[in-house]
Amino acid sequence: MARGTATLEDRPPGRRVGALAALWPFVRPYRGQVVLAIVALALTSAISLVLPLAVRRVVDNFDDGAGLLDEYFGAALVIVALLALGTAARYFFVTRLGERVVADIRKAVFARVITLSPAFFERVMTGEILSRITTDTTLIQSVIGSSLSIALRNMLILAGGLAMLAVTSLKLMGLVLLIVPAILVPIILLGRRLRALSRANQDWIAASSGSASESLLAAQTVQAYTHEARSIARFDEVTEQSYDVALSRVRTRALMTAIVIFLIFSGVIGVLWIGARDVSAGAMTAGQLVQFVIYAILVAGSTGALSEIWGELQRAAGATERLADLLTAEDAMADPARPVPLPRPVRGQIALEGVGFRYPSRPDIPALADVDLMIRPGETVALVGPSGAGKTTVIQLIQRFWDPVAGRVTLDGVDLRDMRRDDFRQAIALVPQDPVIFAASARDNIALGRPDASDAEIEAAARAAHAHEVIAALPAGYDTPLGERGVMLSGGQRQRIAIARAILRDAPVLLLDEATSALDAESESLVQAAVNRLSEGRTTIVIAHRLATVKKADRIVVFDRGRIVAQGTHEALVAEDGLYARLARMQFTDGGEAATAAVLAGRARPVPQDASGAA
């Protein structure tokens, strides 16, 4: 809730309806459809303005014989048919345009957000982003596919109706114009209030979605800690805030509608009263009065519809602003204008040169300080140390999820900031501590890094990771959907899928962040053998709390409080009798894995943690 509220407070206040101009880049490619829609719209508006003339003819020539009346009614039927066809064409072109533009907006927003660095997601909740992509785009779709065309049609009818009112009776037209300022005042004044409430309403809807998303994605944890009541209460609180703002918006709009309708129809009644007196005095014909009344109703209806649509445009303007915020979101991570290509073939030499780093959310605590580390091509390097020592931060910097605040990180001698991220990341395979499994088939999950891999290659990778037996036992084998976040699998099974994914990627650089932490002893032995085979000939960086898994590494680098305090082989580090030797003694002699895990998790000695909570 706190994060959602912060984002609300950080946003600038809503601007005017002119914010809808930001939609033009998405509308521009479909100018042909816009022209067709405008033509259909102008046709239906013109036909609507012709009908009162036909009615006047009928009224004024009622006594001229049945033949003439038949002609008039026949012409009216043709006009109605044209009106039906024009309205259908307008609906088709405008609705298709709205659907197409909104689909493009959704694609553009997702394409932008999915490339943003982790720093962005520290500020904005995922549920809020989803709300913008769904709820806000639905508002825009309503405007482009309906409200905007209705507004234009009513503006044409309003302008044409006023002109025809003047032609019919200049005197009565003057009286009608006196009403217009009285109608515009509440529209303008209450419209400003409505715009602010509409923006706030959408913000609270987004906060509500963010709260729900956060709890639902951690439903098992919420239930395990009997936190359901608090989660429900928090969601209820945010939802009620959204409802209160929405209720204020509805009240404001209802008040504006009541005032506008009363002023419009009160004015029409007054004008009709004066017109009726003119007919009885012979100053105008009954047909002229009927024509004037119809045009007056058209003008009044158009004005009322415009006041209604004004509120929709206010809401859509707020939604457009919010989507524009995502499309123009600044990202600390950016590819250079002229990227340097990663030299091929990739050797896999990684260097951290004087690297210092602080997480933006914890600027006072250094995650890394003056780190110098050279990893040779094909070398297997293990990073060990207490939780919060900076090990996972090193992994994240190598993937350029963050940029160092001091120093640089290079791959084969090229600074990561000088290359395109998708270029050098193709040379890296990652097995994280908490692997992500998508709600897709087992085959698609393994093929994430190489979508063009053959079925035989996917199965070979699964066998190498000892995941084939697990997958083969699923109802549809490799085609079995694994559920959201891999709920069909155990933690160890998810890690086997992640390892198979890394094996299939066949990248020259391999990053293993506690890759075997969720496996039982037998599975760990099997997977460790697979990892050892996978590491051959590759630059491999391993983070492990179980020191038995890193004893055979070419080099072990010991981190503590964001600095490298020692490095060497297992035997050399044990002989130095430093931090690593103490951890080794606890694990292999004195207290076993449990005691060592306590130190590595930071329980035996308080240590600062990374802002991300990572090791």
Side-chain angles (χ1 to χ4, degrees):
M1 172 61 192
R3 292 174 65 190
T5 304
T7 57
L8 291 176
E9 293 171 351
D10 292 341
R11 292 195 190 101
R15 300 187 290 272
R16 298 182 181 274
V17 172
L20 293 173
L23 299 177
W24 176 242
F26 295 96
V27 177
R28 186 188 299 119
Y30 310 106
R31 291 188 294 267
Q33 292 187 40
V34 173
V35 171
L36 291 174
I38 290 176
V39 169
L41 187 126
L43 176 64
T44 55
S45 300
I47 293 173
S48 298
L49 292 172
V50 167
L51 278 174
L53 293 174
V55 174
R56 173 189 171 182
R57 293 275 184 154
V58 171
V59 173
D60 284 343
N61 297 282
F62 197 76
D63 297 328
D64 291 349
L68 188 60
L69 286 177
D70 290 343
E71 292 180 8
Y72 284 137
F73 278 105
L77 188 60
V78 172
I79 292 173
V80 169
L82 291 174
L83 180 62
L85 291 174
T87 303
R90 175 181 63 83
Y91 171 80
F92 174 78
F93 291 127
V94 170
T95 304
R96 184 176 67 173
L97 177 65
E99 294 284 355
R100 181 68 266 168
V101 168
V102 166
D104 289 349
I105 291 174
R106 284 177 174 159
K107 291 192 294 184
V109 171
F110 181 79
R112 173 59 178 160
V113 172
I114 198 65
T115 63
L116 294 175
S117 65
F120 175 81
F121 295 96
E122 284 193 346
R123 304 191 307 269
V124 182
M125 297 180 71
T126 303
E128 184 173 351
I129 296 172
L130 294 177
S131 174
R132 296 192 191 190
I133 294 176
T134 54
T135 307
D136 288 353
T137 52
T138 299
L139 280 175
I140 293 174
Q141 179 181 350
S142 174
V143 167
I144 297 177
S146 175
S147 300
L148 201 56
S149 70
I150 294 174
L152 291 173
R153 179 175 180 273
N154 281 283
M155 288 173 65
L156 291 174
I157 291 177
L158 177 61
L162 288 173
M164 294 307 296
L165 285 176
V167 171
T168 306
S169 173
L170 201 55
K171 171 187 173 182
L172 296 181
M173 168 64 182
L175 294 174
V176 169
L177 289 178
L178 292 177
I179 308 170
V180 175
I183 297 172
L184 291 177
V185 169
I187 290 178
I188 294 173
L189 295 180
L190 294 176
R192 293 175 181 171
R193 167 76 173 160
L194 192 62
R195 179 173 64 249
L197 290 172
S198 297
R199 175 67 187 255
N201 184 205
Q202 291 304 113
D203 284 340
W204 280 110
I205 290 174
S208 177
S209 298
S211 175
S213 173
E214 186 176 42
S215 296
L216 291 175
L217 289 174
Q220 291 187 10
T221 303
V222 170
Q223 294 169 14
Y225 282 90
T226 60
H227 200 270
E228 295 96 330
R230 289 178 179 270
S231 297
I232 292 170
R234 185 177 68 172
F235 180 77
D236 287 351
E237 179 185 355
V238 180
T239 303
E240 283 300 316
Q241 291 278 9
S242 174
Y243 170 76
D244 290 341
V245 176
L247 188 59
S248 297
R249 175 181 58 80
V250 171
R251 285 172 178 164
T252 302
R253 185 167 176 177
L255 177 62
M256 182 176 74
T257 301
I259 293 173
V260 170
I261 289 178
F262 175 77
L263 291 174
I264 289 173
F265 286 97
S266 295
V268 169
I269 290 172
V271 171
L272 282 178
W273 175 66
I274 295 173
R277 294 176 64 89
D278 286 346
V279 170
S280 62
M284 64 187 306
T285 66
Q288 287 177 311
L289 179 59
V290 171
Q291 176 179 311
F292 188 89
V293 168
I294 296 176
Y295 280 127
I297 292 174
L298 287 174
V299 169
S302 298
T303 308
L306 286 172
S307 68
E308 289 277 334
I309 293 168
W310 184 255
E312 293 295 328
L313 294 178
Q314 298 281 354
R315 296 186 68 195
T320 302
E321 288 177 319
R322 290 156 49 83
L323 290 169
D325 289 344
L326 290 180
L327 289 170
T328 59
E330 294 185 4
D331 189 10
M333 302 291 104
D335 292 332
R338 296 180 178 177
V340 176
L342 178 64
R344 260 60 177 197
V346 179
R347 296 186 300 119
Q349 177 176 295
I350 298 171
L352 281 72
E353 303 172 1
V355 168
F357 178 72
R358 299 169 186 260
Y359 285 96
S361 56
R362 299 283 295 277
D364 299 330
I365 301 177
L368 292 176
D370 197 25
V371 172
D372 287 296
L373 178 63
M374 171 66 75
I375 301 173
R376 295 181 294 275
E379 184 180 19
T380 296
V381 174
L383 310 182
V384 302
S387 177
K391 305 183 297 297
T392 296
T393 302
V394 171
I395 293 285
Q396 293 182 339
L397 289 177
I398 291 173
Q399 297 171 91
R400 206 191 167 206
F401 289 144
W402 306 92
D403 278 338
V405 296
R408 67 176 192 153
V409 181
T410 67
L411 175 58
D412 286 353
V414 183
D415 193 322
L416 298 185
R417 288 170 292 198
D418 295 334
M419 296 184 285
R420 281 200 348 261
R421 286 167 291 176
D422 63 345
D423 182 21
F424 70 79
R425 285 176 183 169
Q426 289 177 357
I428 300 174
L430 169 70
V431 181
Q433 181 175 1
D434 184 16
V436 174
I437 304 298
F438 295 93
S441 68
R443 186 188 315 280
D444 290 340
N445 268 283
I446 294 175
L448 183 69
R450 275 184 60 202
D452 59 342
S454 67
D455 291 347
E457 290 173 321
I458 292 172
E459 183 175 332
R463 288 183 182 277
H466 297 279
H468 174 73
E469 293 76 10
V470 173
I471 297 172
L474 295 173
Y478 282 82
D479 295 319
T480 304
L482 300 182
E484 185 179 21
R485 298 167 66 87
V487 294
M488 292 184 61
L489 305 176
S490 68
Q493 290 170 342
R494 287 197 294 270
Q495 280 195 319
R496 295 191 203 186
I497 296 291
I499 292 171
R501 182 186 292 165
I503 292 173
L504 183 65
R505 189 168 179 85
D506 194 25
V509 176
L510 179 63
L511 306 178
L512 303 171
D513 187 355
E514 284 292 338
T516 60
S517 63
L519 302 178
D520 56 61
E522 181 180 359
S523 296
E524 181 181 3
S525 175
L526 294 172
V527 172
Q528 190 62 50
V531 168
N532 291 339
R533 290 196 301 271
L534 177 63
S535 302
E536 293 177 2
R538 306 175 197 277
T539 303
T540 306
I541 300 177
V542 183
I543 294 177
H545 287 163
R546 299 178 184 177
L547 300 186
T549 64
V550 301
K551 287 176 62 177
K552 296 182 180 179
D554 297 324
R555 184 161 39 121
I556 298 171
V557 179
V558 185
F559 279 81
D560 191 21
R561 302 179 187 272
R563 297 179 181 274
I564 296 176
V565 295
Q567 55 182 307
T569 63
H570 170 77
E571 292 75 12
L573 290 173
V574 169
E576 288 181 6
D577 200 25
L579 172 61
Y580 182 84
R582 293 199 302 273
L583 297 176
R585 280 197 299 270
M586 291 179 66
Q587 180 164 337
F588 297 124
T589 57
D590 300 337
E593 286 194 12
T596 309
V599 174
L600 292 170
R603 294 194 296 271
R605 172 175 59 79
V607 294
Q609 288 198 359
D610 296 348
S612 65

